[in-house]
Amino acid sequence: MIIKSRHQNFEIEYLAGRIESLHIAYAGDDDVKEISLASVSSDSNSETMGSLGTMLRYPDDIYPLLKMKRAIDKAEKQIPPEPHWGFCYSMLHKVSRSFSLVIQQLGTELRNAVCVFYLVLRALDTVEDDTSIPTDEKLPILIAFHKHIYNTEWHYSCGTKEYKVLMDQFHHVAAAFLELEKGYQEAIEEITKRMGAGMAKFICQEVETVEDYDEYCHYVAGLVGLGLSKLFLASGSEVLTPDWEHISNSMGLFLQKTNIIRDYLEDINEIPKSRMFWPRKIWGKYAEKLEDLKYEKNSTKAVQCLNEMVTNALMHIEDCLKYMVSLRDPSIFRFCAIPQIMAIGTLALCYNNVQLFRGVVKLRRGLTAKVIDRTKTMADVYGAFYDFCCMLKTKVDKNDPNATKTLDRLEVVQKVCRDTGVLHKRKSYVNDKGQSNNVYIVMLVILLAIVFAYLRANRVME
C-alpha cells in the first residue's frame, strides 16, 4: 500500500558500505518500548561503538539487515535501459527505498503500472506540499493534473531535491504512462483526477472535524488504496470483494493517519507555513492552538491528545485485516502487508510517547528488516498485529481520558488475531530481542567490525 509522499516515510534505512549508528531512547519498560531517534554516519569511534552496541543487543537483526541491503542493491542494479523507464525506477529508488524494494515483488507488467502510479501521485503531492506556490496558481494545477499525465511536454518546477527533479523531468513519467495497458491508464487517470480535486478542496478548507479528517485522508490515501485494487484487478491477479471500496479505503486511511500522527513536529514546523492535519475536534480539547502541543509545559495534554489520535487510527485495523486476507497473489500480499505491519508498529511506539513532540519516532531499522523478511503469510500478519497491540496495551495509562476506548479497540483486534488459531506459529517482534548466548552472531559482528576498521585504516594510509 502506498500513500501520500510527505507522509509515506516508512523508509528502509540500510548499511550503505559503512556502519551506521542508531541512538536509542526508551519510553518506559525496556522490554517493550523502544524508539529509534536517529541514524547518522559513524565518522567516529564512539558512533561505531554505538552501532555495535545496538547490533550486540539485537543480534537477530543482523541477518535480515544484510538480506535487505542485498535486495536493495539488486533492485538498484536492475534499472531498465529505456530512458523513460530508467528515469522512473531511478527516481523511485531516490524518493522511497522502501517502496522500491517492496515493488520488486510484483510481476513486470503490474510493477511498471504501480511504479508510474506512485510517481504520478508523488508529483501531484509535491505540488500540494509546496507551500511557496500561491493558492490561485496551485488549485488549477491540482484539478487538471490528470490531464498532464498524457502530455509528454508538460512539466512544472516546484519542490526540492529529488522532488524537483521529478517535476522538472515529468515528461519521462508521462512517456512511461502512455506505454501502459489501457486498463492501467484508466485507473491511474481516475484516481489522479479524484485526488487532485480533493487536495484542492482542502487547500481552501481546514481539517476541523473528525469527518473532515477522514475525508482528507480518503483523498490523499484512501483513493490510493482504491487505485491499487483497480490495478490488481486489471492485472488479472486479484478479484474484488463486494466491500472492496470500503476496505481499500481503510487500508489507505490506516497508513495515512499513522504518518500524520508521527509527523506532527515536521508538519507543524514547516516553512513558510505550518501544515496542520490533526482535526481541531480532537486537538481543541487539549490546546488553544495545535502548535502549543510541542511546548514542554503542555506535555501532559499533548500526550493525551496524541493518545486520542492513535485510538482513532486503530478503528481501521479490522478492515485492513479483512482486505489482506482476501488477497490471492503472494507478491501482492507482501506488497500490501509489509507497510501495514510497519504502521501498527509505529503506532505502538508513538502511543503515550512525549518524544513525538520533541523529535523523530520510528521503528528500529533491524525491526524493519525483520518485518520485511518475515512477512509471507496472513499468519505472520496476525502475529505481528497481535504483538504490537500487546506492546501498545502495556503503555495505556488508565488515567488517560481515552484509556477505556483504546483498550476496547485493542482487545477487538487481539480477539480477531486469536480467533484465527495461528498465533502459535508466530515469531514475536516485541520480545524477540536476541539473547547473549547468540555467540556465533555476536562473533560475526565483532569480526565484521574488525574488518571494517582494518579496511578503513588501509584507506587512510593510502
Side-chain angles (χ1 to χ4, degrees), residues 195-212:
M195 185 179 291
M199 287 178 170
K201 177 179 178 178
F202 278 93
I203 292 293
C204 306
Q205 176 183 324
E206 295 286 332
V207 179
E208 296 282 345
T209 67
V210 174
E211 290 73 25
D212 290 341

Side-chain angles (χ1 to χ4, degrees), residues 25 37 58 91 111 113 147 153 163 178 211 252 361 374 445:
L37 296 179
Y58 302 101
M91 185 55 57
R111 182 172 68 243
K147 297 178 181 178
E153 296 182 358
Y163 303 106
L178 292 173
E211 290 73 25
V361 175
R374 293 179 179 179
V445 174

Side-chain angles (χ1 to χ4, degrees), residues 34 49 82 130 152 193 271 298 328 341 419 423:
E34 53 192 59
M49 291 305 294
E82 301 86 354
D130 193 332
T152 56
K193 181 178 181 179
I271 296 173
N298 300 322
R328 305 184 306 176
I341 295 176
D419 288 350
L423 292 183

Side-chain angles (χ1 to χ4, degrees), residues 372-428:
I372 293 172
D373 187 47
R374 293 179 179 179
T375 305
K376 295 179 175 64
T377 68
M378 270 309 293
D380 301 322
V381 172
Y382 287 128
F385 270 81
Y386 185 86
D387 277 348
F388 284 120
C389 282
C390 287
M391 176 180 171
L392 204 158
K393 210 171 187 179
T394 64
K395 300 173 72 174
V396 176
D397 181 348
K398 292 185 179 179
N399 294 318
D400 185 89
N402 292 280
T404 300
K405 185 182 292 186
T406 306
L407 290 170
D408 287 346
R409 287 190 177 166
L410 290 171
E411 181 52 39
V412 167
V413 176
Q414 288 182 307
K415 184 178 186 303
V416 170
C417 296
R418 283 195 300 266
D419 288 350
T420 63
V422 299
L423 292 183
H424 65 283
K425 299 179 181 179
R426 79 189 193 282
K427 292 182 179 179
S428 175

